[in-house]
């Protein structure tokens, strides 16, 4: 997934010469808390947040150029960057949103924390069975039944509860990725479990081939 797939394309822009009071009304009307400042070619020249606008109104500053963050202070991503980069930049820098540029430096979108949360919520609703189907395709020569057998064994080792392969298959058909993460104690533990299943099914496959 790339940045352009999660970015907000319905963003607003302002110019450095715009009046702060006009920008405040524009942001209020569109319910946008941040906006890129661009030139006539849509090139990024600054960045304004609702906090900057409030400060400008409080201090009697009239122009956007008086309140905007300069380009050297702006965190941005390219539209063709991996979407995870936008997530990491937003989280690490504790930002509400960041601008998205094309290869010519023009602003083509804005990635907002809301967009990230919405995308992640969609990922969380993916059925666990879909993840196992993708895993099964990558494990060449391993059947679905063999994968379910290995999954049942790993589950018994980790929980102490005996479960049949058919029961495990039914469980992953009815649970989502998000539910599985909570049930296993976190994202890291979930994927550690997947790796363990993959290692076991391959080991069992090799052992059978040697007999």
């Amino acid at each position: 997934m790339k940045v352009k797939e999660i970015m907000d394309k319905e963003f607003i822009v302002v110019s450095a010469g715009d009046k702060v009071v006009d920008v405040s009304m524009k942001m209020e009307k569109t319910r946008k808390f941040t906006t890129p400042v661009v030139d006539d070619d849509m090139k990024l020249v600054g960045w304004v947040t609702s906090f900057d606008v409030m400060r400008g109104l409080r201090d009697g500053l009239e122009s956007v150029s008086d309140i905007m963050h300069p380009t050297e202070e702006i965190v941005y991503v390219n539209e063709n960057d991996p979407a995870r980069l936008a997530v990491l930049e937003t989280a690490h820098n504790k930002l509400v949103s960041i601008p998205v540029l094309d290869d010519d430096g023009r602003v083509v979108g804005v990635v907002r924390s809301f967009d990230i949360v919405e995308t992640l919520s969609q990922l969380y609703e993916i059925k666990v069975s879909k993840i196992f189907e993708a895993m099964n395709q990558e494990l060449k020569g391993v059947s679905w039944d063999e994968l379910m057998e290995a999954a049942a064994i790993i589950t018994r080792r980790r929980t102490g509860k005996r479960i049949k392969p058919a029961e495990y298959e039914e469980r992953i058909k009815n649970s989502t990725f998000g539910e599985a993460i909570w049930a296993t104690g976190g994202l890291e533990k979930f994927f550690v479990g997947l790796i363990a299943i993959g290692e076991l099914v391959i080991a069992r496959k090799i052992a059978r081939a040697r007999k």
Side-chain angles (χ1 to χ4, degrees), residues 66-138:
D66 296 326
I67 65 170
M68 70 182 189
H69 297 271
T71 52
E72 60 267 21
E73 294 180 4
I74 304 172
V75 177
Y76 61 86
V77 290
N78 183 278
E79 62 178 337
N80 291 311
D81 283 337
R84 62 179 174 79
L85 180 61
V87 175
L88 293 173
E89 291 287 7
T90 303
H92 290 169
N93 292 284
K94 295 180 174 58
L95 300 171
V96 174
S97 57
I98 55 178
V100 182
L101 311 184
D102 63 13
D103 292 336
D104 295 319
R106 293 188 294 264
V107 180
V108 293
V110 172
V111 172
R112 307 181 189 280
S113 54
F114 171 81
D115 303 317
I116 294 172
V117 171
E118 184 177 39
T119 300
L120 290 177
S121 66
Q122 293 172 357
L123 292 175
Y124 267 45
E125 290 305 308
I126 294 175
K127 292 295 184 181
V128 177
S129 58
K130 295 295 182 182
I131 299 174
F132 272 86
E133 287 171 8
M135 183 179 177
N136 189 219
Q137 291 177 1
E138 293 298 320

Side-chain angles (χ1 to χ4, degrees), residues 32-209:
K32 305 293 185 182
F33 297 101
T34 57
T35 177
V37 184
V38 300
D39 61 17
D40 293 338
D41 296 320
M42 286 296 288
K43 297 290 184 67
L44 184 67
V45 297
W47 183 254
V48 170
T49 71
S50 56
F51 292 109
D52 301 320
V53 171
M54 287 191 293
R55 175 175 57 83
L57 293 173
R58 182 193 64 210
D59 295 344
L61 302 174
E62 295 187 1
S63 176
V64 168
S65 60
D66 296 326
I67 65 170
M68 70 182 189
H69 297 271
T71 52
E72 60 267 21
E73 294 180 4
I74 304 172
V75 177
Y76 61 86
V77 290
N78 183 278
E79 62 178 337
N80 291 311
D81 283 337
R84 62 179 174 79
L85 180 61
V87 175
L88 293 173
E89 291 287 7
T90 303
H92 290 169
N93 292 284
K94 295 180 174 58
L95 300 171
V96 174
S97 57
I98 55 178
V100 182
L101 311 184
D102 63 13
D103 292 336
D104 295 319
R106 293 188 294 264
V107 180
V108 293
V110 172
V111 172
R112 307 181 189 280
S113 54
F114 171 81
D115 303 317
I116 294 172
V117 171
E118 184 177 39
T119 300
L120 290 177
S121 66
Q122 293 172 357
L123 292 175
Y124 267 45
E125 290 305 308
I126 294 175
K127 292 295 184 181
V128 177
S129 58
K130 295 295 182 182
I131 299 174
F132 272 86
E133 287 171 8
M135 183 179 177
N136 189 219
Q137 291 177 1
E138 293 298 320
L139 294 171
K140 307 300 182 183
V142 173
S143 70
W144 179 259
D145 288 340
E146 289 172 328
L147 185 59
M148 290 300 98
E149 287 175 7
I153 292 171
I154 292 298
T155 300
R156 185 174 71 248
R157 289 177 180 176
R158 298 182 69 183
T159 65
K161 297 179 180 179
R162 187 174 296 276
I163 181 173
K164 296 179 180 179
E167 293 174 332
Y168 189 89
E169 182 176 9
E170 190 65 24
R171 179 184 296 179
I172 64 173
K173 284 181 179 179
N174 295 323
S175 62
T176 64
F177 179 45
E179 290 170 339
I181 290 174
W182 284 104
T184 56
L187 188 62
E188 183 177 346
K189 289 184 178 180
F190 174 77
F191 282 109
V192 167
L194 283 184
I195 292 171
I197 292 170
E199 290 177 339
L200 178 61
V201 75
I202 291 173
R204 284 163 62 87
K205 189 77 174 179
I206 293 174
R208 288 171 182 169

